């Protein structure tokens, strides 16, 4: 069967029941991801003074990545499942953007973990510039590594993943070189930073009162949950890539695992807004923004503005 972008892929893998089930799940993830991350972005920008956030830039970068993934990639997968393909050049754009969003997300969480370990707010000065540059580098690195498969024409539609992905047909050495370089720089290094910083932050939490004195009530308290959620949701993706790397014939991972990797990676974008809302001050700021309204017709109560002393003895 010839794909919409001119490539050849196997016949349709899913029955009608499975296809509509996947479309329904993807539709829920699109709505949750777009609505949730849009509201989170609004609260972060408009209610900054109502909750403490010492490490601002990584949170904004992570939310933008989650919103972009939900708006473009998840919705693209839902449409691809309905139409059974993706047309060029959208096919190549999806492959590039998905890797860019994965890299920027894990980079933002790693930068947040490093900032919490340092314990210095990055609202201004050299540290702010360094953290902003690090977030920008994570985006650029994802775009660069996502562009390489597009340039070398390694991308075609994968019905199992419900989007355009990298397929290897020519050289095992090319595949191994690309995967090892991309994962070492974009995945393994940030994961190592996250784990090391999380362990050290946990050790300092139990050994001293620095956490309770300096970071109590700060939004960065949700960082361990963000790390755990990312690791769980992207485990199928990491596993499928490692399986591919271990096969000399370059056959991809099983269809069910590739489908699960796509669904779980999209789920991470939906769960992050819920993790933010687990923070009490952030949740209260969001509820105040959504539900607090100033009445239009208020009866003005009398206000005491002056006191006149009267001499009653006269």
């Amino acid at each position: 069967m010839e794909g919409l972008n001119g490539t050849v892929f196997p016949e349709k893998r899913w029955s009608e029941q499975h296809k509509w089930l996947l479309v329904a799940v993807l539709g829920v993830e699109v709505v949750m991801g777009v609505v949730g991350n849009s509201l989170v972005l609004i609260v972060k920008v408009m209610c900054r003074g109502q909750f403490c956030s010492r490490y601002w830039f990584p949170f904004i970068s992570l939310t933008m990545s989650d919103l972009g993934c939900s708006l473009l990639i998840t919705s693209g997968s839902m449409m691809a499942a309905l139409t059974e393909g993706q047309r060029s050049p959208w096919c190549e754009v999806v492959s590039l953007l998905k890797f860019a969003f994965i890299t920027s997300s894990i980079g933002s969480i790693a930068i947040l973990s490093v900032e919490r370990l340092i314990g210095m707010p990055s609202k201004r000065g050299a540290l702010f510039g360094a953290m902003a540059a690090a977030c920008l580098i994570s985006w650029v690195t994802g775009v660069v590594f996502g562009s390489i498969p597009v340039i070398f024409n390694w991308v075609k539609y994968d019905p199992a993943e419900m989007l355009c992905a990298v397929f290897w047909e020519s050289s095992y050495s090319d595949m191994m070189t690309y995967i090892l370089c991309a994962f070492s720089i974009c995945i393994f290094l940030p994961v190592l930073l996250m784990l090391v910083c999380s362990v050290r932050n946990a050790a300092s939490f139990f050994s001293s009162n620095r956490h309770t004195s300096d970071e109590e009530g700060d939004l960065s308290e949700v960082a361990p949950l963000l790390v755990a959620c990312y690791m769980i949701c992207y485990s199928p993706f990491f596993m499928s890539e490692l399986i591919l790397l271990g096969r000399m014939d370059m056959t991809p991972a099983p269809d069910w695992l590739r489908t699960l990797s796509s669904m779980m990676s999209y789920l991470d974008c939906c769960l992050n807004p819920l993790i933010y809302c687990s923070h009490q001050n952030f949740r209260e700021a969001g509820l105040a923004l959504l539900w607090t309204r100033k009445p239009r017709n208020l009866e003005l109560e009398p206000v005491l503005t002056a006191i006149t002393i009267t001499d009653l003895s006269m």
Side-chain angles (χ1 to χ4, degrees), residues 32-44 63 67 71 273:
M32 290 181 60
V34 173
V35 174
N37 285 288
S38 297
L39 291 176
V40 165
L41 190 62
I42 292 173
V43 173
K44 286 180 179 179
T63 305
L67 179 59
L71 190 61

Side-chain angles (χ1 to χ4, degrees), residues 6 37 46 84 106 139 153 193 216 236 260:
N37 285 288
M46 298 185 62
E84 300 178 6
I106 193 171
W139 281 88
N153 198 25
L193 286 174
E216 185 177 4
L260 181 63

Side-chain angles (χ1 to χ4, degrees), residues 64-90:
M64 293 297 295
S65 176
D66 290 339
L67 179 59
C69 184
S70 299
L71 190 61
L72 300 176
I73 309 303
T74 311
S75 61
S77 290
M78 183 181 65
M79 294 304 299
L82 286 171
T83 60
E84 300 178 6
Q86 287 181 330
R87 297 184 180 274
S88 183
W90 179 240

Side-chain angles (χ1 to χ4, degrees), residues 309-314:
I309 300 176
T310 305
D311 188 0
L312 300 178
S313 61
M314 295 178 61

Side-chain angles (χ1 to χ4, degrees), residues 6 13 23 70 75-76 107 110 130 155 170 173 191 199-200 221 225 237 243 255 289 307:
R13 302 175 187 271
V23 169
S70 299
S75 61
V155 177
S170 57
S173 61
V191 166
V199 170
R200 295 199 60 180
E221 290 178 344
L225 292 176
F237 173 75
I243 290 175
D255 293 349
L289 180 65
I307 299 176

Side-chain angles (χ1 to χ4, degrees), residues 11 51 55 151:
E11 295 291 333
F51 60 92
Y55 317 109
I151 295 173

Side-chain angles (χ1 to χ4, degrees), residues 207-228:
S207 62
S208 67
N209 294 325
R210 184 179 68 87
H211 176 87
T212 56
S213 60
D214 294 341
E215 296 186 354
E216 185 177 4
D218 191 86
L219 185 59
S220 62
E221 290 178 344
V222 303
L225 292 176
L226 294 175
V227 172

